[in-house]
Amino acid sequence: KKRILLMSLEALNSPPLVAAAGAALYAALPFLEQMTTIPWPTLKVANTLAFGINVLAVSRPGRIDGQPQEQPQDGKDKDSKAPSEMDRLSPGRSGRTLVAPAGWAFAIWGPIYLGEMAMVASQWLLLDESSPTRAILQKASAPFVVANVFQSLWCASFRPKYKKGYYMYLSWAMLTGTAYSLSKVHETYSYSSSINSGVSFGQYCLYFLPLSLHFGWTTAASLVNLNGAVALNPSASPRVVAWVGHATVIGASALGAAISLTRSAPVFGGVIAWALLAVADGMKQRLQSTEKKNDDDDDKTEVTGTYGAKTQLQLSRIGALVSGIAALTAAIQLW
């Protein structure tokens, strides 16, 4: 029965169906935000179910980021085996994208999911109708539900069957939808909004800090996803891959600084700085691994993934500094 269920879910996972579902979510979000009369018990159930579906979708195997990456063996690279999609998206020497964060950056998913699990569980304890935290969560519930559904659709679309043609950009569209929805969530409690009055620091950490982390990281991850889609396109030249990567890092730096300062959101800026430092570290790893291989093989031919990598390394470091300073400035202003 379990096998039949899994086969049925796989049959439902078709690119046109996922694309239609994503388009419907984009169209529905503005209307859902206006539905402020939904009873609080109903919203709590919706938040719990949406988060549960997200967790279930994330746990399903078969995504591109679940593919094994090439590993050195006996001091040599496994050149006999063609690189997988994940190899092309990694910081390793087979990587093609210039927005390839080092592996340590993805540890942020742990605090995000554990924090949101605590938030979803704790919302059931908010019984006081006059609670400012409950008032914020009531406004944030619709975009939070949409964000979780978008991320579930990303889990469905970030798979090898979507790597052909324009389908490879569907996962980027779904992750962008996640970040956009979480931006709407963030607006309900950011310090640029008057509704946040009365929320203690402890309540912020319990209910809203995980959401801020999630917003910042999916913003960065959507840009990583876009560059990955470009890099997996065989018709994209190294120059195109490099320029898209450079533009992405510059845009992420500007976005991190702008949102940090306009919304008084140091967490968002800090997460963008974290992501850019990871991209810089990824480029450092690639350059070092490529130089080592060339030294070992006496092959000085430039590898595709190194075109523009040195520039990307510097841009990422500068961007992390800019976003980090903006985050620190916003934090000081709050205190």
Side-chain angles (χ1 to χ4, degrees):
K1 289 183 177 180
K2 182 178 180 181
R3 185 177 180 181
I4 294 174
L5 175 61
L6 294 177
M7 291 176 64
S8 299
L9 290 173
E10 185 64 26
L12 286 173
N13 185 8
S14 68
L17 184 60
V18 170
L25 279 178
Y26 272 109
L29 180 56
F31 298 98
L32 292 173
E33 285 185 283
Q34 303 303 316
M35 298 176 66
T36 57
T37 59
I38 300 176
W40 175 232
T42 303
L43 292 175
K44 289 191 290 186
V45 172
N47 289 335
T48 304
L49 288 176
F51 180 72
I53 292 171
N54 185 354
V55 171
L56 179 63
V58 168
S59 67
R60 293 278 294 121
R63 294 199 313 272
I64 289 176
D65 56 342
Q67 294 177 345
Q69 297 182 40
E70 60 181 2
Q71 297 291 335
Q73 187 176 32
D74 297 328
K76 298 182 180 180
D77 293 317
K78 295 181 179 180
D79 292 326
S80 59
K81 183 179 179 181
S84 66
E85 289 88 0
M86 193 57 205
D87 289 328
R88 293 300 188 191
L89 303 180
S90 73
R93 69 175 187 82
S94 293
R96 193 163 188 255
T97 173
L98 294 191
V99 185
W104 53 261
F106 296 92
I108 197 173
W109 280 121
I112 288 172
Y113 273 98
L114 290 175
E116 289 188 354
M117 186 182 299
M119 182 272 289
V120 169
S122 299
Q123 66 170 346
W124 291 91
L125 304 177
L126 290 173
L127 304 178
D128 184 4
E129 294 184 2
S130 63
S131 167
T133 301
R134 172 170 159 173
I136 296 173
L137 288 176
Q138 283 183 281
K139 288 193 64 176
S141 289
F144 176 74
V145 169
V146 173
N148 279 277
V149 178
F150 262 127
Q151 191 155 339
S152 299
L153 292 175
W154 173 80
C155 292
S157 57
F158 196 57
R159 295 175 183 272
K161 68 188 293 185
Y162 284 78
K163 68 179 181 179
K164 296 181 180 179
Y166 290 105
Y167 287 158
M168 68 178 68
Y169 293 97
L170 277 178
S171 58
W172 165 67
M174 300 307 149
L175 203 51
T176 300
T178 306
Y180 177 70
S181 302
L182 289 170
S183 174
K184 295 297 184 180
V185 173
H186 187 261
E187 284 180 351
T188 65
Y189 65 83
S190 68
Y191 282 91
S192 60
S193 172
S194 61
I195 195 174
N196 71 329
S197 57
V199 176
S200 68
F201 180 73
Q203 289 173 323
Y204 170 80
C205 290
L206 176 60
Y207 292 100
F208 306 123
L209 177 58
L211 296 171
S212 295
L213 292 173
H214 202 172
F215 172 36
W217 184 244
T218 51
T219 299
S222 66
L223 299 176
V224 172
N225 206 149
L226 172 61
N227 280 265
V230 173
L232 290 177
N233 185 348
S235 64
S237 67
R239 184 183 297 272
V240 169
V241 172
W243 278 105
V244 172
H246 298 341
T248 295
V249 166
I250 294 171
S253 306
L255 191 63
I259 291 183
S260 293
L261 297 175
T262 59
R263 294 191 184 182
S264 298
V267 174
F268 180 87
V271 173
I272 297 299
W274 165 276
L276 290 172
L277 284 174
V279 171
D281 193 24
M283 289 301 94
K284 181 180 177 182
Q285 292 177 24
R286 181 176 299 168
L287 289 167
Q288 289 177 341
S289 64
T290 304
E291 289 171 359
K292 182 177 185 302
K293 178 183 182 299
N294 287 346
D295 290 341
D296 293 342
D297 298 349
D298 293 326
D299 179 7
K300 306 303 179 183
T301 304
E302 183 174 46
V303 179
T304 300
T306 62
Y307 185 94
K310 291 182 179 179
T311 301
Q312 188 77 340
L313 172 61
Q314 298 305 320
L315 287 175
S316 299
R317 286 174 172 171
I318 294 171
L321 181 63
V322 169
S323 191
I325 290 175
L328 181 60
T329 301
I332 293 173
Q333 290 175 343
L334 289 175
W335 286 104

